[in-house]
Every structure is written in structure tokens, then in C-alpha cells.
Amino acid sequence: MKYSGWPEPGELVVGDVDEIADFGVFVDLDEYEDKRGLCHISEVASGWIKNVRDHVREGQTVVAKVLEVDESSSQIDLSIKDVNEHQRKETIQDWKNSQKADNWMEIALGEDVDDDRYTAVANALLVEYESLYDAFEAAAISGDEALVDVDDDTVDAVVTAARDNVSVPYVDVTGYVDLESAAPDGVDDVRDALATAEGNGQIPDGVELEVGYVGSPEYRIKVRAPDYKTAEDQLESAAARARESIEAAGGVGEFHRERREEDE
């Protein structure tokens, strides 16, 4: 998705070197529709420049700072030298993330999605998140709970695209299990079932699993894992272990995804 407006002075922009002249460099701005800026030779690099081509080449992707914008003459003045290495790397990464998010939007909505539909979904995502990339990352981690402003017809498609394509550092999932026992030592039976749910030290490396009390007979199981499938598998396995343990002791167990009582 490209912006239709104009960049602001002081903004860092990403562009491709389109033309090199003796007096400077013309840069096509990748994030703006039909916008081209000029970086004067004095703004290409620090110090005296004998040959601009010693510093940039046609087709090179650069990060530049916007110095001035004159919409009446379609003039955008840029500086490459005013961008330090940290800013360059950070801006390039944000630009790459934006391209990824744009691709994920097409996967979710279809390659032939019209501009109005794309914009409506994008705006809904940007109500909660600073960027589309952040929105897709949140959807990969938290599912439809992360997309409260997106219409119901779109939520599943966005979550599926996110979980199929977004690499996240971890995924958190939560479920609940009801455990009941009418036996005289039913409290011990429940305690044993919870210990069994926690895996008795057999949880895979890279997975964190925690079982907590919510309000009898309901207990919360929280799993943190490197990816969604692993998290879901571990959650369901933990719930199954708890249910099998309590049922073996003559009790009753049931797994469900949502709270049945309000958090205290």
C-alpha cells in the first residue's frame, strides 16, 4: 500500500535511485504514489564529492531525510547524508515489514481486492495498532481477540493469513478445564489432576505451561510456545491429561476455551 499524499519535512523515506546527475541524485519514493525526490550532491555524503557515483548507484535502495516539500512545483528535497546507520537500518526494517504486511493483506482479502475494501480493513486494523505488520503479528499471537474492530466476515481470513505467514517470538494460548470429584478425598484427586496437567516435568523445551486456580471447579491453563500449532497441541494435551486423571479417580473433567465465570 502506497500513500497518496506527500511526505513531511523531517520524515525518513525509502526510495530507489532512479537517475544520477552531476548535481545530485533523483530518488523514486517507494512508499508514496508517483513521488520523486532530489538529493543535491551536497546532501549525498559528508565532505567533498568528486563523483556522485562513488557513493550511490542506479537502482540502489536508500533511506533519505525529507528536507523540504513544495507541492506546487512537485519538489521534494532529500538528504542521504543526514541519515545515520541506526536510522537507516530501522527504517529499512519498517519498510520491509510494511511490504510483508501488504502481501499478507492480499493473502487474506484476495489479490483482486478493490481499494475501498483494502482501505476499510486497513483502517480497522490501524485503529488498534501502529502498523499493519503489528496488527498481523498480534493476530498470529492472540487470534480474533486481537481484532476487535474488524468485521466478522474478515477476522477469520486475517487470523489464518497471520498464523500461516507471520513468524513471532512466541505465542500465548489459554484454555480452561473444569475438574470435579465427589469422593471424600476429592480435593486430592483434583490436585493430582492439576499436577498431571502441568506435565510432571515432561513439557518440551521452549514451551512454558502454567495451571492456575480461577474458581472451583474451573482452572486456567496457559501455554507459551514458539508457534501457534505447538501452543495449541500442548494446551489440548494438558487438558486431556487433567481430564483423564480426574476421571480415573471417579470424577468429571471438561475442557473449554472461554471463561465460564467472570475473573475475580
Side-chain angles (χ1 to χ4, degrees), residues 5-238:
W6 294 81
E8 296 289 335
E11 181 179 342
L12 298 181
V13 293
V14 178
D16 297 324
V17 175
D18 175 57
E19 180 183 348
I20 297 176
D22 291 339
F23 57 84
V25 177
F26 290 96
V27 179
D28 284 334
L29 304 187
D30 290 342
E31 300 160 292
Y32 289 86
E33 291 181 349
D34 303 319
K35 297 298 186 295
R36 191 187 197 211
L38 171 63
C39 180
H40 188 267
I41 187 172
S42 62
E43 294 294 337
V44 172
S46 299
W48 181 71
I49 299 176
K50 180 179 180 180
N51 189 336
V52 180
R53 295 179 183 275
D54 291 337
H55 301 275
V56 292
R57 65 183 185 279
E58 278 100 345
Q60 179 181 350
T61 299
V62 298
V63 177
K65 181 178 180 180
V66 178
L67 299 178
E68 292 186 24
V69 176
D70 186 343
E71 296 183 26
S72 62
S73 62
S74 299
Q75 177 82 16
I76 303 173
D77 294 331
L78 305 172
S79 174
I80 295 174
K81 75 175 186 180
D82 283 355
V83 180
N84 62 42
E85 185 63 16
H86 172 74
Q87 292 172 322
R88 190 191 71 79
K89 288 182 177 180
E90 189 174 68
T91 303
I92 287 291
Q93 187 60 57
D94 288 343
W95 172 67
K96 288 180 178 179
N97 288 347
S98 178
Q99 290 185 310
K100 289 179 181 179
D102 193 40
N103 182 52
W104 298 334
M105 285 284 283
E106 290 188 357
I107 292 173
L109 304 178
E111 293 183 2
D112 58 347
V113 61
D114 61 69
D115 291 344
D116 289 342
R117 175 64 174 155
Y118 185 107
T119 301
V121 175
N123 287 340
L125 294 172
L126 293 173
V127 168
E128 278 298 311
Y129 302 97
E130 292 187 2
S131 69
L132 294 180
Y133 184 90
D134 291 340
F136 272 88
E137 187 173 65
I141 294 172
S142 302
D144 55 7
E145 295 177 4
L147 306 177
V148 295
D149 292 299
V150 179
D151 63 83
D152 293 341
D153 293 336
T154 307
V155 166
D156 287 346
V158 172
V159 171
T160 298
R163 287 179 167 166
D164 286 346
N165 295 279
V166 181
S167 297
V168 294
Y170 63 85
V171 173
D172 287 327
V173 296
T174 302
Y176 300 86
V177 62
D178 293 347
L179 302 172
E180 297 181 88
S181 175
D185 53 356
V187 173
D188 291 335
D189 294 338
V190 170
R191 186 180 297 114
D192 290 343
L194 295 175
T196 301
E198 291 179 333
N200 295 318
Q202 301 303 310
I203 302 301
D205 291 339
V207 175
E208 299 177 18
L209 191 151
E210 175 185 333
V211 179
Y213 176 77
V214 174
S216 183
E218 192 174 32
Y219 300 86
R220 180 188 294 109
I221 303 174
K222 296 178 67 175
V223 178
R224 171 171 288 188
D227 58 81
Y228 178 73
K229 184 179 186 305
T230 299
E232 283 290 323
D233 288 346
Q234 291 299 315
L235 174 61
E236 293 175 5
S237 294

